[in-house]
Amino acid sequence: MIHADDGSLTQEQRLMRDSCRSYVDDAVTPFIRSNWKQEWDMSPGDRLPRSILEGAEAIGIRTLGVPEEFSGFELERETEVRTFALISEEVARGDSGLADKLVQNWKVSILLREFAPKHLQEKWFPKLLADPQFLLAHCLTEPRGASDRWLPYNVPEAAMHTKAVLKDGHWVINGRKQFISNGYDASLYVVYANTDSSVGMLQGTSSFLVPRDTPGLTVTKCNETMGCRFMNNGELVFEDCRVPADHLLVQNTALGSAGQYFRAGKIIQAAKNLGVGVACFERTADYVQNYVQGGRILIKHQAVALRLADMATRIEAVRSLIERASKAVDEGHPDMDVLCNMAKVYASEEIMKVATHALELHGGNGAMLEFGIEKLFRDAAIFLHMDATVDVSRMKIIKTMFPATAGKYAGPEN
Ligand SMILES: Cc1cc2nc3c(=O)[nH]c(=O)nc-3n(C[C@H](O)[C@H](O)[C@H](O)COP(=O)(O)OP(=O)(O)OC[C@H]3O[C@@H](n4cnc5c(N)ncnc54)[C@H](O)[C@@H]3O)c2cc1C
């Protein structure tokens, strides 16, 4: 790759990036390359060795976002989102599913830091810190479609199907959540449920902290995803699941409050996909400088060089937009929402093109599981529909830019 713009990074950012790079080069990449069948182990609990998360713990990145008063590792606030993006890119360069595992911990920790009442922080942050295998998950999506929530389609008919009712000092939750990253493994879930069906979801959705061992909560399956397989994406069912009343996070306006999570989340996720692109480029650059066809190494064929240049250019363009968007979020710039959605769309589509070039330049080897290029292609492809679809994200860009004329993109116009 071209040289990093180290001059624009803080000392903390350089340190974090470098220690993540060493962790990935020393522990993650060797594991992935020599255990390429592991992601297909049909016992999801056995897929990732404990030592990988312990390695993340050792460099302090499993519990990022936990406040210092709970012995967590807090990044400098003024540049926090940018630093998260750098770390996320580095980890995903090793494995995108592993990055997802950690990313959920960071995003939910930020949410708890910002919104959880003190007694819940005091109860759950120490548990998260104490166990290197402790994971968090964020449960929004239901079988009836997530795009309505992202847009949002704010009418009572589109409210969450999962419902919570306060009864005898407990919130009783009934419903189902699907496609949840870390859903199969997490020890603690943030769950969104309808608490007022007479209003739209922005006024009638609450969020709760639900420990995994709560009676009435069943983790019904680990989804066998096309990519990012180490994230152990899962499905949850709530049947009269009784959560203590004090495990309420935000009452009725939870979706609005979650902007704190969504903004940083989109940047961190876009940076994660960038890491997949960087891995595609590094592997391909190595390949075309060693593999010979037509009497010369591939890079000496102009058609190959053009594709390689295209990969590098797209990667740098995605990186620049992520930098701009993360800076906007860190500074609370008025354009931060539109830039976050642009970063999501651009990172999804450009890295997909980068992965397609990688597949092409590896010829038949690109299609072979043991070569690892098809894995990167799958990891890039699955991102198109994570954190909202690209089309819904595009609609959000236009809705934000032209609020008076763009309309709602859901339901009748009037
Ligand atoms: C790997 C993975 C990990 C995920 N992790 C999580 C997680 O941790 N937590 C969580 O809560 N969710 C998670 N999700 C869910 C994800 O956010 C949703 O899948 C995504 O937002 C799309 O929602 P949907 O699948 O319900 O599609 P739908 O909303 O059913 O959309 C189907 C199609 O219709 C289009 N569409 C929908 N509405 C409109 C409209 N009004 N106008 C035009 N087109 C429209 C969409 O763009 C899409 O093409 C994850 C998904 C994946 C694939």
Side-chain angles (χ1 to χ4, degrees):
M1 294 305 312
I2 66 172
H3 296 105
D5 180 14
D6 273 16
S8 70
L9 301 182
T10 64
Q11 194 186 10
E12 177 183 77
Q13 287 170 336
R14 279 196 296 271
L15 277 172
M16 291 305 295
R17 183 201 58 193
D18 293 348
S19 59
C20 287
R21 195 168 286 176
S22 304
Y23 160 63
V24 163
D25 289 342
D26 298 344
V28 181
T29 303
F31 165 76
I32 297 290
R33 293 221 185 152
S34 52
N35 296 279
W36 55 269
K37 287 185 187 157
Q38 194 74 17
E39 62 171 333
W40 298 105
D41 188 327
M42 286 299 147
S43 314
D46 296 333
R47 276 182 196 149
L48 200 67
R50 294 172 72 85
S51 60
I52 297 282
L53 276 183
E54 283 160 8
E57 174 80 357
I59 58 164
I61 60 171
R62 189 184 60 90
T63 52
L64 289 174
V66 177
E68 255 165 33
E69 61 175 302
F70 299 102
S71 310
F73 183 177
E74 267 194 285
L75 298 170
E76 285 159 7
R77 285 288 179 96
E78 321 78 66
T79 48
E80 183 179 49
V81 177
R82 174 90 189 93
T83 313
F84 269 125
L86 288 163
I87 299 169
S88 179
E89 177 190 332
E90 287 303 327
V91 178
R93 205 184 114 250
D95 183 76
S96 186
L98 169 66
D100 270 313
K101 263 185 147 56
L102 298 167
V103 161
Q104 295 309 314
N105 270 25
W106 308 339
K107 294 196 302 188
V108 177
S109 293
I110 294 174
L111 198 65
L112 298 186
R113 178 185 83 193
E114 300 298 324
F115 296 110
K118 205 78 184 162
H119 71 273
L120 288 179
Q121 296 187 1
E122 283 166 355
K123 177 165 184 176
W124 289 105
F125 278 141
K127 289 183 197 281
L128 168 65
L129 256 88
D131 176 5
Q133 310 298 321
F134 197 110
L135 294 174
L136 302 165
H138 190 252
C139 310
L140 195 68
T141 302
E142 304 184 338
R144 215 209 49 141
S147 301
D148 281 356
R149 272 99 219 191
W150 285 109
L151 277 166
Y153 182 23
N154 195 31
V155 293
E157 306 87 270
M160 296 246 164
H161 281 182
T162 302
K163 298 216 176 314
V165 178
L166 188 60
K167 217 171 161 184
D168 303 330
H170 283 77
W171 286 97
V172 183
I173 305 178
N174 279 287
R176 194 168 141 196
K177 297 289 174 183
Q178 69 177 15
F179 304 162
I180 308 302
S181 305
N182 280 351
Y184 187 78
D185 295 329
S187 302
L188 186 64
Y189 300 90
V190 171
V191 177
Y192 292 77
N194 176 275
T195 40
D196 183 351
S197 46
S198 68
V199 288
M201 71 187 85
L202 290 181
Q203 292 78 33
T205 306
S206 302
S207 55
F208 304 89
L209 264 191
V210 184
R212 186 192 184 90
D213 56 5
T214 310
L217 163 59
T218 315
V219 178
T220 49
K221 72 167 176 176
C222 181
N223 293 311
E224 296 304 342
T225 53
M226 69 182 290
C228 297
R229 292 182 54 80
F230 289 116
M231 81 161 83
N232 285 355
N233 188 282
E235 198 161 306
L236 314 170
V237 170
F238 301 84
E239 289 169 306
D240 289 333
C241 175
R242 285 164 55 83
V243 181
D246 70 355
H247 274 49
L248 173 76
L249 281 181
V250 179
Q251 188 156 18
N252 290 336
T253 54
L255 284 176
S257 309
Q260 194 82 24
Y261 170 100
F262 295 140
R263 277 186 210 106
K266 279 191 192 293
I267 301 288
I268 296 171
Q269 292 280 11
K272 187 200 74 175
N273 216 36
L274 171 63
V276 175
V278 172
C280 285
F281 183 83
E282 288 178 350
R283 302 281 304 265
T284 307
D286 189 44
Y287 191 74
V288 300
Q289 291 178 87
N290 288 290
Y291 184 82
V292 176
Q293 276 296 328
R296 55 180 89 155
I297 51 173
L298 282 185
I299 199 169
K300 290 188 186 287
H301 296 284
Q302 286 175 348
V304 170
L306 298 187
R307 279 188 192 261
L308 197 63
D310 192 60
M311 289 170 79
T313 308
R314 289 180 199 278
I315 286 170
E316 286 309 320
V318 170
R319 179 172 287 127
S320 297
L321 184 54
I322 289 173
E323 260 178 52
R324 167 109 202 267
S326 56
K327 197 160 173 281
V329 178
D330 279 329
E331 291 171 359
H333 192 279
D335 288 335
M336 62 185 170
D337 282 322
V338 80
L339 285 165
C340 285
N341 280 300
M342 286 177 174
K344 145 72 195 174
V345 170
Y346 204 57
S348 300
E349 296 192 335
E350 294 305 289
I351 300 304
M352 195 67 245
K353 289 175 193 152
V354 168
T356 308
H357 281 326
L359 205 58
E360 172 62 23
L361 291 181
H362 277 80
N365 281 330
M368 301 301 144
L369 258 61
E370 63 268 39
F371 239 78
I373 298 301
E374 61 79 45
K375 175 187 184 301
L376 293 171
F377 185 82
R378 287 185 283 105
D379 287 346
I382 198 172
F383 185 64
L384 291 167
H385 282 184
M386 290 178 77
D387 259 39
T389 67
V390 279
D391 284 348
V392 164
S393 305
R394 281 198 176 94
M395 288 184 231
K396 286 188 73 80
I397 292 169
I398 294 304
K399 261 169 59 122
T400 314
M401 291 177 77
F402 303 100
T405 50
K408 294 185 288 193
Y409 299 127
E413 268 303 312
N414 299 304

